[in-house]
């Protein structure tokens, strides 16, 4: 499996984004997802899904909102590899989303937001 | 009066019904008004499998007609009424009840009646014929006061009748005038082998016997006296000495008959009156009467097509036949007696295994003319196709019947050699070409193929051949039959199961490292989770198993469309105390859950958010509930009726058995969900015949049904074993379920699992009941392990604070998901629609 640059994409962090500390890395279950809340109780409140995979020892963050079922459920999906790419399968109707790009595998016209992640001092930080 | 064409059918047997079906399926059906006489008190049923009536199949099971079929298609049925005369010039038929019916086209499907030889005493009490369900019920009643039964006639039907006597528990005699059994279909060698095998089963066979008189017996009710001076005493006597066409109506209205009876028909099945047709066993075509169902079905289609002005003709039928008599395979093909001039024979006799095989070949040794098989009829399909399609014989034709002991497989022919027109399924007239077409249209597994074409759905004799055609076509299409479960494992589920079991693999990462590649996916991970659970039964939320679970298993609830969960506590057998019912009501009220009674006699509580699950379950567990596994591919529920404890009709305690079964198998992870039910009597209030394992109480034990299901493609369960005691029932259920868990494909229900099995329910009986694979005890031991390691997953979860943390809504916040919104409907909550959510947030 190729290493998708550890997906620490600091260069992609735009000016209105900040690194937000979410939790300790060791609090994330391995090869499974959890949901996290960014900007709670503000107009920018956003749900993300965080996945820590042993495939390349990386952490990914994507939107938690499944556009097909319109429910916040992607953190509860199963992680997959499709060829060389990592994806999560929606637990509702099983569409797959690329963890690195947010692209849906079943429907080209659908993609979801992804968020830069970095690990610092054993903490997981997400830019948002 | 409508201007529809009036079609009147006399006779609602198998062939009469086939004709009605053909009419319903014809394109101009709406232009006809169809009426049928049904002299018996029951509409069409399966006479071929009549003897199964005595091993537990009910009259309803034997019915050929889906309930409501005739009503739905506007067919008028004159049930219990009988046609007494036909006026061909007025084109009317008068019934026994005095009704006069006009017709434009009349179809005679009157069938045949059993011939009773005019032996003095043939009309004594306790003498029966074997033709209708009413006959069987009379026999059943008489058998209660009988010890000995005798059948006069050792032909195909006589042996079926003898089986019925054996099933009724009588000492059984078969008396045949000819010097061998099944004289029409098989030769002396085959007859001798058949006799030996039948006598092994305790039936006494008397050949070359000429019955002279039936009178009062000394010990038993009747005494039969024979020409050679010998005597046999019996309580019951059954006549099965051949059939005669039921042609009285035709005779009275002066239709042309054959010299020895039978209504003469042409290639369109028209009688000497072009507006009157005759089909099935009452019809004589080209001097012959066909006593088998397949030619009758063909005639039904031909008559229907002719009435619809479509092209079709009856051109005779092959009388080859394969059947199982008392569990013994017997088959006869073509010229079984080598009557063709200069025909030659090859014979194989195996005295140890009691197998007899003979082939008849042409004088030049290049074509197969006929065959007789007794004890092993596996080659029937191949041999029949060779004979019917004039396929050249291999260089050494005896190779076709000699056993293959070098492991090279049969030397016969490949199905590839068959022409497209070759008829593979004779019951439903399906050709090889039609099968190939269905395969290329996408029916690429056996179950789909039989469903799409009906091939193999009647007698099942052609199923092996259908499977061969399927594989051959797939191969030709370049479609390698890829049975890998996904891109990460080059294995089937069954193979993975064995790899896990044999290699004692305990985690997915080990399985992937040893036998797979990549990272896994939403196909192989839950499959592996299920296999690991079936084998080792670890707690499913252990860190190494967590990521493998489908969301339902991971959060031990059933996810609904809005991401909330429903909760189904176990209510084994549907039995619940008022106190517990109140607890469910209180929990539902407290957490504002939508409550609904399920089809499996449980209560489902909907609308729980992730973070509420542990709290709710704590209250349920404290009140004595345990998880219902409604979220798992596992045993769900064992439904029951109230049984003999309360019911006036109950034969046995169905609730107690349902509780026992549900508690025994709860938590068993399987390829798909498993359902069961127990009914306390044959009224079947628990609908056990729609379950994977269905049990119905009888006077003397339990009848066990397997492989039924409801859902998208409902399927009735097959009767598997009868009158079992509870211990044997549990033993068979242990073996059955574990064999399913080990060998089924992912998400394959028991019905498709069995339908795809070569040999179907018979094979399954061999494995489970006769233990033909020698794995019975192993299966039981593996099941015992699952039962011993059962835990309530919810109890384990709420007792472990770290596990409870996994149910937090967010890893960094305890705020509830603002996207979960409910509105009220009929006094309860339901998920809000998008427009309603927008209103709420506005």
């Amino acid at each position: 499996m190729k290493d998708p640059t550890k997906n620490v994409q600091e260069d992609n962090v735009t000016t209105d984004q900040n690194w937000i500390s979410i939790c300790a890395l060791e609090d994330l279950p391995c090869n499974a997802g959890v949901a996290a809340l960014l900007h709670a109780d503000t107009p920018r409140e956003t749900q993300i899904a965080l996945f820590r995979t042993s495939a390349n020892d990386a952490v990914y963050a994507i939107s938690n909102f499944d556009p097909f079922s319109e429910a916040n459920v992607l953190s509860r999906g199963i992680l997959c590899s499709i060829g060389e790419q990592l994806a999560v399968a929606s637990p509702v109707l099983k569409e797959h989303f690329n963890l690195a790009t947010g692209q849906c595998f079943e429907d080209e016209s659908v993609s979801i937001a992804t968020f830069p992640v970095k690990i610092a001092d054993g903490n997981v930080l997400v830019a948002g | 009066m409508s201007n529809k064409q009036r079609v009147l059918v006399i006779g609602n047997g198998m062939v009469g019904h086939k004709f009605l079906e053909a009419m319903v399926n014809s394109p101009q059906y709406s232009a006809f008004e169809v009426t049928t006489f049904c002299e018996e008190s029951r509409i069409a049923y399966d006479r071929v499998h009549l003897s199964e009536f005595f091993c537990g199949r009910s009259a309803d099971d034997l019915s050929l007609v889906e309930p409501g079929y005739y009503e739905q298609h506007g067919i008028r049925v004159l049930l219990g009424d009988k046609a007494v005369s036909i006026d061909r010039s007025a084109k009317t038929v008068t019934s026994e009840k005095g009704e006069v019916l006009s017709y434009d086209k009349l179809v005679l499907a009157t069938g045949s009646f059993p011939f009773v030889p005019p032996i003095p005493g043939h009309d004594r009490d306790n003498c029966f014929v074997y033709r209708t369900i009413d006959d069987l019920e009379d026999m059943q009643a008489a058998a209660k006061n009988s010890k000995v039964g005798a059948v006069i006639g050792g032909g195909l039907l006589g042996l079926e009748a003898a089986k019925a006597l054996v099933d009724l528990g009588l000492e059984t005699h078969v008396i045949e005038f000819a010097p061998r059994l099944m004289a029409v279909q098989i030769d002396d060698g085959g007859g001798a082998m058949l006799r030996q095998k039948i006598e092994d089963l305790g039936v006494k066979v008397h050949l070359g016997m000429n019955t002279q008189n039936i009178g009062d017996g000394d010990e038993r009710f009747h005494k039969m006296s024979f020409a050679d001076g010998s005597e046999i005493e019996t309580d019951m006597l059954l006549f099965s000495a051949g059939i005669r066409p039921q042609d009285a109506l035709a005779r009275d209205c002066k239709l042309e008959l054959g010299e020895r009876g039978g209504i003469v028909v042409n290639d369109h099945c028209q009688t000497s009156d072009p507006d009157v047709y005759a089909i099935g066993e009452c019809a004589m075509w080209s001097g012959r009467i066909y006593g088998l169902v397949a030619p009758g079905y063909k005639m039904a289609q031909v008559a229907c097509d002719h009435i619809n002005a479509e092209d079709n003709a009856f051109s005779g039928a092959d009388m080859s036949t394969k059947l199982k008599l008392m569990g013994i395979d017997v088959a006869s093909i073509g010229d079984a007696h080598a009557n063709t001039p200069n025909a030659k024979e090859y014979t194989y006799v195996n005295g140890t295994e009691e197998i007899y095989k003979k082939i008849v070949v042409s004088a030049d040794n290049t074509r197969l003319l006929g065959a007789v098989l007794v004890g092993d009829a596996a080659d029937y399909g191949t041999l029949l196709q060779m004979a019917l399609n004039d396929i050249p014989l291999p260089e050494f034709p005896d190779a076709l019947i000699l056993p293959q002991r070098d492991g090279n497989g049969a030397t016969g022919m490949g199905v590839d050699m068959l022409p497209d027109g070759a008829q593979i399924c004779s019951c439903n007239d399906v050709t090889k070409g039609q099968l190939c077409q269905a395969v290329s249209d996408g029916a690429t597994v056996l179950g789909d193929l039989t469903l799409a074409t009906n091939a193999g759905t009647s007698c099942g004799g052609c199923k092996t051949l259908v499977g061969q055609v399927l594989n051959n076509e797939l191969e030709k299409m370049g479609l390698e039959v890829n049975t890998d479960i996904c891109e990460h494992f080059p294995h089937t589920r069954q193979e993975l199961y064995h790899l896990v079991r044999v290699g004692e693999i305990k985690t997915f990462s080990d399985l992937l490292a040893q036998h797979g590649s990549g990272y896994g996916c939403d196909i192989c991970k839950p499959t592996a989770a299920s296999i690991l659970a079936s084998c080792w039964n670890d707690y499913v939320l252990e860190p190494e198993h967590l990521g493998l679970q489908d969301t339902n298993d991971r959060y031990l609830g059933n996810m609904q469309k809005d991401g909330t969960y429903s909760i189904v506590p176990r209510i084994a057998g549907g039995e619940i105390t008022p106190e517990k019912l109140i607890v469910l009501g209180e929990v539902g009220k407290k957490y504002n859950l939508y409550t609904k009674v399920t089809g499996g006699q449980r209560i489902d509580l909907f609308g729980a958010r992730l973070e509420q699950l542990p709290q709710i379950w704590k209250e349920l567990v404290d009140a004595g509930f345990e998880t219902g596994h409604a979220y798992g591919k596992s045993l769900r529920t064992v439904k029951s009726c109230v049984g003999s404890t309360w019911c006036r009709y109950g034969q046995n305690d169905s609730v107690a058995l349902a509780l026992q079964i549900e508690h025994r198998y709860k938590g068993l992870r399987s390829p798909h969900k498993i359902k069961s039910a127990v009914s306390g009597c044959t009224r079947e209030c628990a609908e056990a015949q729609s379950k994977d394992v269905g049990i119905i109480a009888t006077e003397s034990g339990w009848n066990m049904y397997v492989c039924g299901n409801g859902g998208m493609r409902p399927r009735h369960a097959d009767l598997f074993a009868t009158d079992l005691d509870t211990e044997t029932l549990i033993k068979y259920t242990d073996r059955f379920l574990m064999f399913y868990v080990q060998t089924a494909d992912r998400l394959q229900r028991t019905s498709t699992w069995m339908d795809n099995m070569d040999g179907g329910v018979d094979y399954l009986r061999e494995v489970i009941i006769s233990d033909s694979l020698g794995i019975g005890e192993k299966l039981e031991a593996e099941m015992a392990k699952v039962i011993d390691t059962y835990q309530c997953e919810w109890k384990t979860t709420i007792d472990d604070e770290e596990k409870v943390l996994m149910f937090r809504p967010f890893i960094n916040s305890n705020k509830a998901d603002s996207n979960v919104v409910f509105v009220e409907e009929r006094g309860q909550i339901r998920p809000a629609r998008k427009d309603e959510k927008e209103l709420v947030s506005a």
Side-chain angles (χ1 to χ4, degrees), chain B residues 83-101:
Chain B
V84 291
S85 68
I86 299 169
D87 182 341
R88 292 202 281 124
S89 53
K91 297 184 106 177
T92 58
V93 173
T94 306
S95 86
E96 195 171 48
K97 291 182 181 164
E99 194 171 343
V100 179
L101 296 123

Side-chain angles (χ1 to χ4, degrees), chain B residues 289-307:
Chain B
I289 289 174
Y290 291 94
L292 292 180
V293 72
Y297 279 1
K298 174 76 182 168
M299 288 180 181
Q301 188 64 50
V302 166
C304 170
D305 288 347
H306 196 255
I307 289 169

Side-chain angles (χ1 to χ4, degrees), chain B residues 19-318:
Chain B
F19 174 80
L20 296 175
E21 272 189 342
M23 286 299 290
V24 167
N25 293 331
S26 64
Q28 284 109 39
Y29 180 62
S30 55
F32 295 100
E33 184 183 294
V34 182
T35 305
T36 186
F37 276 95
C38 178
E39 186 182 330
E40 285 186 52
S41 57
R42 296 180 179 85
I43 52 175
Y45 56 86
D46 183 352
R47 266 188 243 279
V48 174
H49 295 105
L50 210 53
S51 67
E52 293 177 18
F53 184 76
F54 293 116
C55 45
R57 251 177 103 171
S58 68
D60 284 348
D61 289 335
L62 288 169
S63 178
L64 292 173
V65 190
E66 290 286 316
Y69 180 84
Y70 289 157
E71 293 81 354
Q72 187 190 337
H73 295 287
I75 297 173
R76 187 175 167 218
V77 184
L78 302 163
L79 196 66
D81 201 359
K82 173 177 170 182
V84 291
S85 68
I86 299 169
D87 182 341
R88 292 202 281 124
S89 53
K91 297 184 106 177
T92 58
V93 173
T94 306
S95 86
E96 195 171 48
K97 291 182 181 164
E99 194 171 343
V100 179
L101 296 123
S102 300
Y103 67 80
D104 296 304
K105 303 284 179 191
L106 178 64
V107 180
L108 302 174
T110 46
S112 61
F113 62 90
F115 170 65
V116 178
I119 303 165
H122 68 83
D123 49 0
R124 288 165 53 87
D125 280 350
N126 275 2
C127 288
F128 302 93
V129 294
Y130 188 76
R131 171 81 186 169
T132 66
I133 291 183
D134 289 341
D135 295 336
L136 303 198
E137 287 179 341
D138 292 345
M139 281 170 60
Q140 206 166 27
K144 293 207 165 119
N145 304 312
S146 303
K147 282 205 167 124
V148 184
V151 182
I152 294 193
L156 198 158
L157 271 174
L159 294 178
E160 282 275 343
K163 173 177 190 301
L165 293 179
V166 172
D167 286 340
L168 287 167
L170 304 187
E171 174 190 325
T172 303
H173 296 264
V174 172
I175 293 140
E176 168 61 47
F177 180 73
R180 67 165 179 269
L181 294 171
M182 287 183 69
V184 179
Q185 292 90 358
I186 63 179
D187 63 344
D188 283 337
M193 188 62 82
L194 181 60
R195 175 186 186 160
Q196 192 178 332
K197 293 181 80 83
I198 286 176
E199 291 194 324
D200 289 348
L201 297 170
V203 176
K204 299 191 175 65
V205 178
H206 312 269
L207 300 175
M209 301 300 269
N210 182 358
T211 315
Q212 302 255 303
N213 186 62
I214 305 161
D216 285 335
D218 301 323
E219 306 277 314
R220 314 252 65 100
F221 189 77
H222 305 289
K223 178 189 283 177
M224 308 169 68
S225 310
F226 303 101
D228 64 0
S230 63
E231 294 172 344
I232 290 176
E233 294 212 359
T234 178
D235 296 309
M236 282 172 68
L237 194 51
L238 244 87
F239 289 101
S240 182
I243 54 166
R244 295 289 181 269
Q246 186 72 266
D247 53 13
L249 279 172
R251 187 184 304 270
D252 292 345
C253 70
K254 311 243 166 356
L255 290 172
E256 188 189 342
L257 301 183
E259 262 177 48
R260 298 173 58 200
I263 308 163
V264 172
V265 296
N266 63 13
D267 291 356
H268 304 300
C269 295
Q270 287 167 297
T271 65
S272 51
D273 178 338
D275 286 328
V276 182
Y277 296 77
I279 56 179
E281 291 178 326
C282 66
M284 171 178 278
W285 177 87
S286 192
R288 291 198 68 171
I289 289 174
Y290 291 94
L292 292 180
V293 72
Y297 279 1
K298 174 76 182 168
M299 288 180 181
Q301 188 64 50
V302 166
C304 170
D305 288 347
H306 196 255
I307 289 169
N308 277 280
E310 279 178 41
D311 223 18
N312 198 352
F314 186 75
S315 54
D318 178 64

Side-chain angles (χ1 to χ4, degrees), chain B residues 224-516:
Chain B
M224 308 169 68
S225 310
F226 303 101
D228 64 0
S230 63
E231 294 172 344
I232 290 176
E233 294 212 359
T234 178
D235 296 309
M236 282 172 68
L237 194 51
L238 244 87
F239 289 101
S240 182
I243 54 166
R244 295 289 181 269
Q246 186 72 266
D247 53 13
L249 279 172
R251 187 184 304 270
D252 292 345
C253 70
K254 311 243 166 356
L255 290 172
E256 188 189 342
L257 301 183
E259 262 177 48
R260 298 173 58 200
I263 308 163
V264 172
V265 296
N266 63 13
D267 291 356
H268 304 300
C269 295
Q270 287 167 297
T271 65
S272 51
D273 178 338
D275 286 328
V276 182
Y277 296 77
I279 56 179
E281 291 178 326
C282 66
M284 171 178 278
W285 177 87
S286 192
R288 291 198 68 171
I289 289 174
Y290 291 94
L292 292 180
V293 72
Y297 279 1
K298 174 76 182 168
M299 288 180 181
Q301 188 64 50
V302 166
C304 170
D305 288 347
H306 196 255
I307 289 169
N308 277 280
E310 279 178 41
D311 223 18
N312 198 352
F314 186 75
S315 54
D318 178 64
M319 294 298 281
S320 300
T321 182
K322 172 185 156 183
L323 60 154
K324 224 183 182 80
L325 286 167
M326 307 188 205
I328 305 164
D329 282 322
V330 181
S332 163
I333 294 171
D335 183 10
H337 298 291
N339 291 329
T340 312
N342 300 321
K344 298 193 168 45
E345 300 185 359
Y346 294 88
T347 310
Y348 168 76
V349 185
N350 179 334
T352 314
E353 290 171 44
E354 301 191 341
I355 293 168
Y356 175 88
K357 296 181 181 184
K358 178 182 85 170
I359 51 173
V360 179
V361 303
S362 58
D364 61 0
N365 209 19
T366 63
R367 292 292 184 275
L368 186 68
L369 303 175
V372 174
L373 306 169
V374 176
D376 174 7
D379 301 327
Y380 174 76
T382 310
L383 293 175
L384 178 65
Q385 293 300 332
M386 291 193 94
L388 290 179
N389 297 295
D390 210 26
I391 289 166
L393 286 170
E395 189 185 354
F396 303 106
D398 51 1
L400 291 172
I401 49 171
L402 290 175
Q404 305 299 315
R405 299 217 166 89
D406 52 5
N408 287 335
T411 50
M413 44 142 219
V415 283
D416 206 23
M417 289 171 64
L418 292 176
D420 274 355
Q423 189 189 48
I424 304 289
C425 172
S426 57
C427 297
N428 296 296
D429 191 17
V430 184
T431 62
K432 181 188 163 197
Q434 287 167 317
L435 287 173
C436 297
Q437 185 58 46
V439 174
S440 72
D441 290 348
T444 50
V445 296
L446 189 58
D448 290 349
L449 186 58
T450 56
L451 210 68
T453 60
N454 274 331
T457 54
S458 294
C459 78
C462 61
K463 235 174 172 177
T464 316
L465 208 57
V466 173
Q468 288 168 4
V469 171
L470 171 64
N471 288 338
N472 189 250
E473 280 313 291
L474 291 177
E475 223 166 274
K476 274 202 300 200
M477 286 157 68
L479 271 179
E480 196 181 324
V481 197
N482 187 344
T483 51
D484 299 353
I485 68 160
C486 68
E487 66 176 85
H488 306 104
F489 289 96
H491 296 290
T492 62
R493 180 189 175 279
Q494 185 179 351
E495 288 163 354
L496 285 180
Y497 185 96
H498 287 292
L499 292 170
V500 166
R501 183 67 86 176
V502 173
E504 294 195 18
I505 294 171
K506 301 286 166 72
T507 65
F508 179 76
S509 50
D510 285 351
L511 183 66
L512 192 68
Q514 292 177 35
H515 301 287

